[in-house]
Amino acid sequence: GSATVFHWNQAPDTASRPRPSASCTMASAFLPIMVLFVPGAAIVFASISLFQFTQLFKAFVAVSQKSRGNAVWKFFQPHLKQMGAVLQSVLGPADKFNVNLTHVVLVALMITIIVCAERLRSVIADNKRISGRS
């Protein structure tokens, strides 16, 4: 048989490539809006997440240090107290734990990376599903 020869100025065969999914075309249509609002939304979500973490950290340390008469509580209380001590050794005293702008920016970056990685995973899965079907 004869071999197909491609020249440098010849366009590649696009019929064999999978077409972009609907989510890719929608993302490109809303790109200017996303560029404006996604960073602010990530910072808001990061602030809320860090506020919740701060409150849970303070509550966990406070509850782990209380003694109660319940038999089940007496069984778990030494372990919870030790976990509270470890958390305080890593994060500092719970009553003095404060979140600053660096924490907010780093958590916003983590949220953005997680969301982008999930979108990339879904696009790859869609492309595999589409190419496997044809």
Side-chain angles (χ1 to χ4, degrees):
S2 64
T4 305
V5 177
F6 292 103
H7 298 286
W8 66 274
N9 60 355
Q10 183 181 10
D13 182 24
T14 57
S16 64
R17 282 192 278 164
R19 297 176 61 202
S21 65
S23 64
C24 289
T25 56
M26 288 298 292
S28 62
F30 292 113
L31 186 62
I33 295 170
M34 289 174 56
V35 166
L36 290 174
F37 292 112
V38 168
I43 289 174
V44 168
F45 289 139
S47 299
I48 293 169
S49 298
L50 284 169
F51 176 75
Q52 288 178 338
F53 174 77
T54 302
Q55 297 305 314
L56 285 173
F57 174 53
K58 290 178 181 180
F60 181 80
V61 170
V63 168
S64 69
Q65 293 176 350
K66 289 185 180 178
S67 298
R68 302 197 185 199
N70 190 351
V72 175
W73 181 257
K74 285 185 179 183
F75 176 75
F76 286 110
Q77 205 266 337
H79 304 293
L80 294 176
K81 195 171 193 175
Q82 186 176 12
M83 285 177 60
V86 168
L87 284 172
Q88 285 189 344
S89 70
V90 172
L91 300 173
D95 55 343
K96 295 181 180 178
F97 183 75
N98 290 325
V99 175
N100 60 27
L101 184 61
T102 304
H103 296 123
V104 173
V105 171
L106 288 175
V107 171
L109 185 63
M110 285 176 24
I111 290 171
T112 305
I113 289 171
I114 290 169
V115 168
C116 288
E118 175 57 28
R119 289 197 62 172
L120 181 62
R121 186 205 60 78
S122 68
V123 167
I124 291 171
D126 285 347
N127 285 342
K128 284 183 179 179
R129 183 178 46 82
I130 289 170
S131 65
R133 193 181 331 163
S134 55

PDB file of all heavy atoms in Angstrom, residues 46-64:
ATOM      1  N   ALA A  46     -12.490  30.513  50.716  1.00  0.00           N
ATOM      2  CA  ALA A  46     -11.352  30.251  51.596  1.00  0.00           C
ATOM      3  C   ALA A  46     -11.549  30.901  52.953  1.00  0.00           C
ATOM      4  O   ALA A  46     -11.250  30.301  53.993  1.00  0.00           O
ATOM      5  CB  ALA A  46     -10.059  30.742  50.948  1.00  0.00           C
ATOM      6  N   SER A  47     -12.068  32.115  52.966  1.00  0.00           N
ATOM      7  CA  SER A  47     -12.316  32.804  54.236  1.00  0.00           C
ATOM      8  C   SER A  47     -13.351  32.067  55.068  1.00  0.00           C
ATOM      9  O   SER A  47     -13.173  31.874  56.278  1.00  0.00           O
ATOM     10  CB  SER A  47     -12.798  34.229  53.978  1.00  0.00           C
ATOM     11  OG  SER A  47     -11.830  34.954  53.282  1.00  0.00           O
ATOM     12  N   ILE A  48     -14.422  31.636  54.427  1.00  0.00           N
ATOM     13  CA  ILE A  48     -15.457  30.887  55.149  1.00  0.00           C
ATOM     14  C   ILE A  48     -14.902  29.563  55.663  1.00  0.00           C
ATOM     15  O   ILE A  48     -15.159  29.180  56.814  1.00  0.00           O
ATOM     16  CB  ILE A  48     -16.682  30.667  54.231  1.00  0.00           C
ATOM     17  CG1 ILE A  48     -17.357  31.996  53.944  1.00  0.00           C
ATOM     18  CG2 ILE A  48     -17.666  29.684  54.854  1.00  0.00           C
ATOM     19  CD1 ILE A  48     -18.413  31.937  52.859  1.00  0.00           C
ATOM     20  N   SER A  49     -14.138  28.869  54.838  1.00  0.00           N
ATOM     21  CA  SER A  49     -13.553  27.586  55.255  1.00  0.00           C
ATOM     22  C   SER A  49     -12.605  27.766  56.433  1.00  0.00           C
ATOM     23  O   SER A  49     -12.622  26.974  57.384  1.00  0.00           O
ATOM     24  CB  SER A  49     -12.794  26.942  54.094  1.00  0.00           C
ATOM     25  OG  SER A  49     -13.657  26.673  53.038  1.00  0.00           O
ATOM     26  N   LEU A  50     -11.772  28.785  56.379  1.00  0.00           N
ATOM     27  CA  LEU A  50     -10.844  29.028  57.486  1.00  0.00           C
ATOM     28  C   LEU A  50     -11.564  29.463  58.753  1.00  0.00           C
ATOM     29  O   LEU A  50     -11.150  29.096  59.856  1.00  0.00           O
ATOM     30  CB  LEU A  50      -9.799  30.067  57.078  1.00  0.00           C
ATOM     31  CG  LEU A  50      -8.716  29.523  56.160  1.00  0.00           C
ATOM     32  CD1 LEU A  50      -7.886  30.659  55.599  1.00  0.00           C
ATOM     33  CD2 LEU A  50      -7.829  28.553  56.905  1.00  0.00           C
ATOM     34  N   PHE A  51     -12.641  30.217  58.625  1.00  0.00           N
ATOM     35  CA  PHE A  51     -13.432  30.581  59.798  1.00  0.00           C
ATOM     36  C   PHE A  51     -14.025  29.335  60.444  1.00  0.00           C
ATOM     37  O   PHE A  51     -13.975  29.166  61.674  1.00  0.00           O
ATOM     38  CB  PHE A  51     -14.533  31.569  59.422  1.00  0.00           C
ATOM     39  CG  PHE A  51     -15.432  31.911  60.565  1.00  0.00           C
ATOM     40  CD1 PHE A  51     -15.001  32.758  61.574  1.00  0.00           C
ATOM     41  CD2 PHE A  51     -16.704  31.379  60.644  1.00  0.00           C
ATOM     42  CE1 PHE A  51     -15.820  33.068  62.644  1.00  0.00           C
ATOM     43  CE2 PHE A  51     -17.527  31.680  61.700  1.00  0.00           C
ATOM     44  CZ  PHE A  51     -17.090  32.525  62.712  1.00  0.00           C
ATOM     45  N   GLN A  52     -14.574  28.440  59.611  1.00  0.00           N
ATOM     46  CA  GLN A  52     -15.131  27.190  60.143  1.00  0.00           C
ATOM     47  C   GLN A  52     -14.044  26.343  60.797  1.00  0.00           C
ATOM     48  O   GLN A  52     -14.254  25.771  61.870  1.00  0.00           O
ATOM     49  CB  GLN A  52     -15.809  26.393  59.037  1.00  0.00           C
ATOM     50  CG  GLN A  52     -17.098  26.990  58.568  1.00  0.00           C
ATOM     51  CD  GLN A  52     -17.705  26.196  57.431  1.00  0.00           C
ATOM     52  OE1 GLN A  52     -17.020  25.458  56.725  1.00  0.00           O
ATOM     53  NE2 GLN A  52     -19.007  26.350  57.247  1.00  0.00           N
ATOM     54  N   PHE A  53     -12.877  26.260  60.169  1.00  0.00           N
ATOM     55  CA  PHE A  53     -11.786  25.490  60.756  1.00  0.00           C
ATOM     56  C   PHE A  53     -11.373  26.073  62.101  1.00  0.00           C
ATOM     57  O   PHE A  53     -11.139  25.329  63.063  1.00  0.00           O
ATOM     58  CB  PHE A  53     -10.582  25.455  59.812  1.00  0.00           C
ATOM     59  CG  PHE A  53      -9.386  24.801  60.441  1.00  0.00           C
ATOM     60  CD1 PHE A  53      -9.317  23.428  60.545  1.00  0.00           C
ATOM     61  CD2 PHE A  53      -8.342  25.565  60.943  1.00  0.00           C
ATOM     62  CE1 PHE A  53      -8.217  22.821  61.145  1.00  0.00           C
ATOM     63  CE2 PHE A  53      -7.251  24.972  61.536  1.00  0.00           C
ATOM     64  CZ  PHE A  53      -7.187  23.599  61.635  1.00  0.00           C
ATOM     65  N   THR A  54     -11.278  27.397  62.193  1.00  0.00           N
ATOM     66  CA  THR A  54     -10.896  28.047  63.446  1.00  0.00           C
ATOM     67  C   THR A  54     -11.895  27.723  64.546  1.00  0.00           C
ATOM     68  O   THR A  54     -11.502  27.380  65.667  1.00  0.00           O
ATOM     69  CB  THR A  54     -10.805  29.572  63.247  1.00  0.00           C
ATOM     70  OG1 THR A  54      -9.857  29.847  62.221  1.00  0.00           O
ATOM     71  CG2 THR A  54     -10.391  30.275  64.522  1.00  0.00           C
ATOM     72  N   GLN A  55     -13.179  27.807  64.233  1.00  0.00           N
ATOM     73  CA  GLN A  55     -14.201  27.527  65.240  1.00  0.00           C
ATOM     74  C   GLN A  55     -14.180  26.062  65.668  1.00  0.00           C
ATOM     75  O   GLN A  55     -14.302  25.746  66.858  1.00  0.00           O
ATOM     76  CB  GLN A  55     -15.590  27.915  64.718  1.00  0.00           C
ATOM     77  CG  GLN A  55     -15.741  29.391  64.432  1.00  0.00           C
ATOM     78  CD  GLN A  55     -15.392  30.254  65.644  1.00  0.00           C
ATOM     79  OE1 GLN A  55     -15.824  29.984  66.755  1.00  0.00           O
ATOM     80  NE2 GLN A  55     -14.599  31.278  65.420  1.00  0.00           N
ATOM     81  N   LEU A  56     -14.008  25.147  64.695  1.00  0.00           N
ATOM     82  CA  LEU A  56     -13.929  23.719  65.034  1.00  0.00           C
ATOM     83  C   LEU A  56     -12.687  23.409  65.857  1.00  0.00           C
ATOM     84  O   LEU A  56     -12.739  22.599  66.794  1.00  0.00           O
ATOM     85  CB  LEU A  56     -13.950  22.873  63.765  1.00  0.00           C
ATOM     86  CG  LEU A  56     -15.300  22.744  63.082  1.00  0.00           C
ATOM     87  CD1 LEU A  56     -15.156  22.037  61.751  1.00  0.00           C
ATOM     88  CD2 LEU A  56     -16.277  22.006  63.966  1.00  0.00           C
ATOM     89  N   PHE A  57     -11.576  24.025  65.538  1.00  0.00           N
ATOM     90  CA  PHE A  57     -10.334  23.820  66.288  1.00  0.00           C
ATOM     91  C   PHE A  57     -10.501  24.271  67.730  1.00  0.00           C
ATOM     92  O   PHE A  57     -10.172  23.545  68.673  1.00  0.00           O
ATOM     93  CB  PHE A  57      -9.195  24.565  65.598  1.00  0.00           C
ATOM     94  CG  PHE A  57      -7.890  24.555  66.346  1.00  0.00           C
ATOM     95  CD1 PHE A  57      -7.313  23.379  66.784  1.00  0.00           C
ATOM     96  CD2 PHE A  57      -7.218  25.747  66.597  1.00  0.00           C
ATOM     97  CE1 PHE A  57      -6.108  23.375  67.471  1.00  0.00           C
ATOM     98  CE2 PHE A  57      -6.024  25.758  67.269  1.00  0.00           C
ATOM     99  CZ  PHE A  57      -5.460  24.570  67.713  1.00  0.00           C
ATOM    100  N   LYS A  58     -11.058  25.458  67.927  1.00  0.00           N
ATOM    101  CA  LYS A  58     -11.262  25.972  69.285  1.00  0.00           C
ATOM    102  C   LYS A  58     -12.257  25.110  70.058  1.00  0.00           C
ATOM    103  O   LYS A  58     -12.042  24.808  71.241  1.00  0.00           O
ATOM    104  CB  LYS A  58     -11.744  27.427  69.231  1.00  0.00           C
ATOM    105  CG  LYS A  58     -10.676  28.390  68.777  1.00  0.00           C
ATOM    106  CD  LYS A  58     -11.211  29.815  68.687  1.00  0.00           C
ATOM    107  CE  LYS A  58     -10.126  30.769  68.210  1.00  0.00           C
ATOM    108  NZ  LYS A  58     -10.618  32.150  68.112  1.00  0.00           N
ATOM    109  N   ALA A  59     -13.330  24.688  69.399  1.00  0.00           N
ATOM    110  CA  ALA A  59     -14.338  23.852  70.065  1.00  0.00           C
ATOM    111  C   ALA A  59     -13.772  22.482  70.409  1.00  0.00           C
ATOM    112  O   ALA A  59     -14.021  21.958  71.505  1.00  0.00           O
ATOM    113  CB  ALA A  59     -15.564  23.711  69.179  1.00  0.00           C
ATOM    114  N   PHE A  60     -12.998  21.891  69.509  1.00  0.00           N
ATOM    115  CA  PHE A  60     -12.425  20.577  69.771  1.00  0.00           C
ATOM    116  C   PHE A  60     -11.477  20.617  70.958  1.00  0.00           C
ATOM    117  O   PHE A  60     -11.515  19.741  71.829  1.00  0.00           O
ATOM    118  CB  PHE A  60     -11.689  20.059  68.529  1.00  0.00           C
ATOM    119  CG  PHE A  60     -11.084  18.701  68.723  1.00  0.00           C
ATOM    120  CD1 PHE A  60     -11.868  17.575  68.624  1.00  0.00           C
ATOM    121  CD2 PHE A  60      -9.737  18.549  69.007  1.00  0.00           C
ATOM    122  CE1 PHE A  60     -11.329  16.319  68.806  1.00  0.00           C
ATOM    123  CE2 PHE A  60      -9.181  17.309  69.199  1.00  0.00           C
ATOM    124  CZ  PHE A  60      -9.978  16.186  69.095  1.00  0.00           C
ATOM    125  N   VAL A  61     -10.627  21.624  71.010  1.00  0.00           N
ATOM    126  CA  VAL A  61      -9.677  21.735  72.126  1.00  0.00           C
ATOM    127  C   VAL A  61     -10.428  21.969  73.435  1.00  0.00           C
ATOM    128  O   VAL A  61     -10.104  21.371  74.468  1.00  0.00           O
ATOM    129  CB  VAL A  61      -8.641  22.849  71.842  1.00  0.00           C
ATOM    130  CG1 VAL A  61      -7.814  23.157  73.072  1.00  0.00           C
ATOM    131  CG2 VAL A  61      -7.738  22.439  70.690  1.00  0.00           C
ATOM    132  N   ALA A  62     -11.457  22.810  73.399  1.00  0.00           N
ATOM    133  CA  ALA A  62     -12.220  23.082  74.624  1.00  0.00           C
ATOM    134  C   ALA A  62     -12.949  21.834  75.115  1.00  0.00           C
ATOM    135  O   ALA A  62     -12.936  21.528  76.319  1.00  0.00           O
ATOM    136  CB  ALA A  62     -13.217  24.210  74.368  1.00  0.00           C
ATOM    137  N   VAL A  63     -13.559  21.096  74.210  1.00  0.00           N
ATOM    138  CA  VAL A  63     -14.299  19.887  74.597  1.00  0.00           C
ATOM    139  C   VAL A  63     -13.349  18.781  75.036  1.00  0.00           C
ATOM    140  O   VAL A  63     -13.644  18.035  75.975  1.00  0.00           O
ATOM    141  CB  VAL A  63     -15.204  19.419  73.435  1.00  0.00           C
ATOM    142  CG1 VAL A  63     -15.754  18.035  73.660  1.00  0.00           C
ATOM    143  CG2 VAL A  63     -16.335  20.402  73.219  1.00  0.00           C
ATOM    144  N   SER A  64     -12.202  18.677  74.402  1.00  0.00           N
ATOM    145  CA  SER A  64     -11.272  17.596  74.746  1.00  0.00           C
ATOM    146  C   SER A  64     -10.657  17.771  76.121  1.00  0.00           C
ATOM    147  O   SER A  64     -10.191  16.804  76.719  1.00  0.00           O
ATOM    148  CB  SER A  64     -10.172  17.478  73.690  1.00  0.00           C
ATOM    149  OG  SER A  64      -9.307  18.590  73.740  1.00  0.00           O
TER     150      SER A  64
END
